[in-house]
Amino acid sequence: MADVTQCMLNLDCCDLESGTAIDHLIHISSNILNKELRDLKAKKGKKVKSQSFGSNHIDNLIIACNNCNNRKKHKMLDHRLMMSILKEKNST
Ligand SMILES: [Zn+2]
C-alpha cells in the first residue's frame, strides 16, 4: 500500500497540510477509460478484473491532499499522471 503521507496526485497546487482524502482515480460514474486501461495493464502480463476502474475497487482508490483533490474534481487525470500512479500502485 502506498505511503499515506504522500499525495498521489502531486499537482502544482499540492499541499499536504490542506488535509488528505481517499479519492477515486477514475470517477465512479465514468468507465470511459476502463477498456483502455485494462489493455495497457494487460500488456504487462497482468490480468485485471473488469470492475477495477470506475469503481470502489482498491485499484481505483488513491490518496490525495485536499488541494489536488479539489483541483481534479471529476475531471480525468492527465493520462501520463494516471499511468504513473497506476505503475506506482502496481509496484507496491
Ligand atoms: Zn496533492
Side-chain angles (χ1 to χ4, degrees):
M1 195 61 195
D3 185 348
V4 296
T5 64
Q6 287 194 335
C7 173
M8 295 177 74
L9 293 177
N10 199 27
L11 303 178
D12 56 8
C13 61
C14 191
D15 182 6
L16 285 172
E17 292 189 3
S18 69
T20 55
I22 294 175
D23 189 31
H24 294 100
L25 182 58
I26 300 175
H27 191 256
I28 199 160
S29 67
S30 173
N31 276 314
I32 295 170
L33 290 182
N34 195 354
K35 191 170 185 293
E36 179 183 357
L37 286 168
R38 271 189 296 156
D39 288 344
L40 284 169
K41 292 186 79 174
K43 286 176 184 172
K44 296 178 184 176
K46 289 184 179 179
K47 293 216 171 185
V48 180
K49 291 175 184 172
S50 61
Q51 295 304 309
S52 294
F53 298 99
S55 73
N56 283 316
H57 190 280
I58 187 69
D59 281 354
N60 193 39
L61 298 177
I62 59 172
I63 296 160
C65 74
N66 286 331
N67 275 10
C68 292
N69 201 24
N70 289 337
R71 172 77 70 89
K72 182 174 90 60
K73 294 188 177 173
H74 292 176
K75 289 186 294 189
M76 283 292 176
L77 293 174
D78 174 82
H79 190 80
R80 195 171 53 183
L81 174 60
M82 191 183 293
M83 287 301 112
S84 73
I85 290 172
L86 287 171
K87 188 176 177 183
E88 183 179 330
K89 285 170 71 69
N90 285 333
S91 67
T92 55

